Amino acid sequence: MGLEGKMDAARSAADTLVDALRPGDRFALVSFDDEARVVSPGALYTGDAARLHALVAGLRDDGGTNLWDGLGAGHAELAEAAGAGARKVLLVSDGNANVGETEPGAFAALARGWAAGGVTVSAVGLGRDFNETLLEDVADAGGGTYRFVGDPDELPAVIADELQRTAETVARGLRVTLRAEGGAVLHEVYGWNESRAADGVQVDVGEIAAGQSRKIVVAVTVPTEEPGESPLLTADLRYVTLEGEHGEASAAAAATVVDDPAAVDASADRAATIDATRARAGEIARTAADSYRIGEPERAAGLLRSAARFVDNAARATGAPELVEASRNIAELEALGAAEGGAYAAKAASEAGRDFAR
């Protein structure tokens, strides 16, 4: 954290959190290097901002990256905060876990257990060296958000946005179960970690804030032997409110099979086309990120160019400005890979893929 001004940015971000606190909020601050330290124990905020700012000013970069103990210490400070309200561990790191537990699967399992108990985990990767796969898995399993911050100066704004989202959280533990109906086959869920279960394909969406929306785009094969309408998918949503009440909702989709190409073209839904285009482009971007990680930058660049062409075609067909922007973002990813190298570009491509799909 001592390089590229990252420690200064981390202190500034922590100050941003302190300035946003209001009476009734609970706040704890944990730092970690070779070991974890509770800088400020979890307690109700009483207006003692000056004391907290002084503690933030004393944060230093002193060694390795013990993510496991850092997370554990943060979670422990939430133990007395059970009940109504949003509870979140926000992990900010610039490094690979290299002290204590380092296996990504162990971190995901830990965060998944906490999410089941009402504690969300979000993660922010800072700079060039962190393990984005580990942080993404932690955020996905923990029901929170994942952000990549390449420029340390952007960190305070990212933290402020995360805090705002936390303050406006209305439900957590959102899980959608998708089931194919009427002979349809569900092949793929874009941009989300899915799990196959006896009752269908489960997608854990995590928390959601007031006014926020989430989309799940899936690839489905529709049987075409007989014309007419037939069931396609059912979706069951389950969630928990901040007061601990369980809720659920259901929806269904049907497909109409016709043999008239003009009717197919006329039925195209512009909003759905935009969402599907972004989701498919996002999946290509995530594949490009994998290619960057394993040292195949030319393949990654080729994938990004193909994604840009695909999005450009859809942008011309729909006239959608959001697709024009998406194409520009994809081109920027390719330029980033050429200028900064694959390890850095992989982080940006991975985050972009998530954002496009969700």
Side-chain angles (χ1 to χ4, degrees):
M1 290 286 282
L3 301 175
E4 305 174 4
K6 288 187 283 190
M7 199 64 226
D8 289 338
R11 284 190 288 264
S12 178
D15 282 331
T16 298
L17 281 172
V18 170
D19 289 336
L21 292 174
R22 298 291 181 267
D25 291 340
R26 297 184 69 93
F27 174 77
L29 180 62
V30 173
S31 69
F32 57 92
D33 37 58
D34 288 331
E35 59 184 24
R37 291 177 295 278
V38 179
V39 177
S40 179
L44 286 172
Y45 178 66
T46 59
D48 55 344
R51 179 185 68 85
L52 295 176
H53 283 306
L55 292 174
V56 169
L59 292 174
R60 295 291 181 270
D61 173 32
D62 292 326
T65 306
N66 191 336
L67 286 178
W68 185 264
D69 285 353
L71 275 172
H75 181 265
E77 292 303 313
L78 288 172
E80 297 181 8
R87 294 187 291 155
K88 174 173 290 186
V89 174
L90 175 58
L91 170 64
V92 181
S93 179
D94 77 329
N96 286 287
N98 56 21
V99 178
E101 180 63 67
T102 62
E103 173 57 42
F107 282 88
L110 187 73
R112 188 173 295 108
W114 291 351
V119 175
T120 301
V121 184
S122 287
V124 178
L126 178 61
R128 300 172 180 270
D129 302 324
F130 67 90
N131 183 333
E132 67 268 26
T133 300
L134 187 153
L135 294 191
E136 284 189 58
D137 287 350
V138 164
D140 281 340
T145 58
Y146 161 75
R147 297 290 300 273
F148 159 59
V149 179
D151 182 350
D153 291 341
E154 298 173 356
L155 182 59
V158 169
I159 297 299
D161 181 67
E162 181 68 22
L163 182 65
Q164 182 69 24
R165 183 183 293 109
T166 302
E168 296 175 352
T169 298
V170 293
R172 58 176 174 81
L174 277 74
R175 169 174 286 182
V176 177
T177 301
L178 302 169
R179 287 186 298 275
E181 305 286 356
V185 178
L186 196 162
H187 295 283
E188 186 174 6
V189 177
Y190 292 116
W192 297 91
N193 291 333
E194 63 179 83
S195 59
R196 303 274 169 165
D199 60 343
V201 176
Q202 294 179 347
V203 179
D204 288 321
V205 178
E207 66 180 3
I208 194 164
Q212 189 179 34
S213 63
R214 283 284 184 261
K215 65 176 181 287
I216 300 173
V217 179
V218 299
V220 181
T221 297
V222 181
T224 59
E225 290 81 3
E226 297 292 335
E229 185 173 292
S230 64
L232 180 64
L233 284 175
T234 58
D236 296 323
L237 168 67
R238 290 179 172 79
Y239 60 92
V240 182
T241 69
L242 296 188
E243 292 73 30
E245 298 177 357
H246 291 259
E248 58 184 43
S250 296
T256 302
V257 178
V258 297
D259 56 9
D260 180 2
V264 173
D265 293 339
S267 71
D269 183 286
R270 184 175 182 273
T273 299
I274 293 169
D275 285 345
T277 299
R278 284 175 53 88
R280 289 181 62 192
E283 198 66 21
I284 297 173
R286 287 168 68 87
T287 303
D290 291 337
S291 294
Y292 276 130
R293 291 188 190 104
I294 62 176
E296 296 181 352
E298 293 183 359
R299 181 174 185 272
L303 285 166
L304 292 174
R305 285 192 294 271
S306 71
R309 288 193 297 270
F310 166 69
V311 174
D312 283 341
N313 290 336
R316 285 191 292 271
T318 61
E322 51 266 67
L323 293 184
V324 175
E325 181 182 3
S327 178
R328 184 165 51 246
N329 291 341
I330 293 169
E332 289 172 354
L333 291 174
E334 183 186 352
L336 185 66
E340 300 289 347
Y344 190 71
K347 295 172 171 55
S350 182
E351 185 196 36
R354 291 165 60 91
D355 289 346
F356 284 158
R358 301 183 179 190

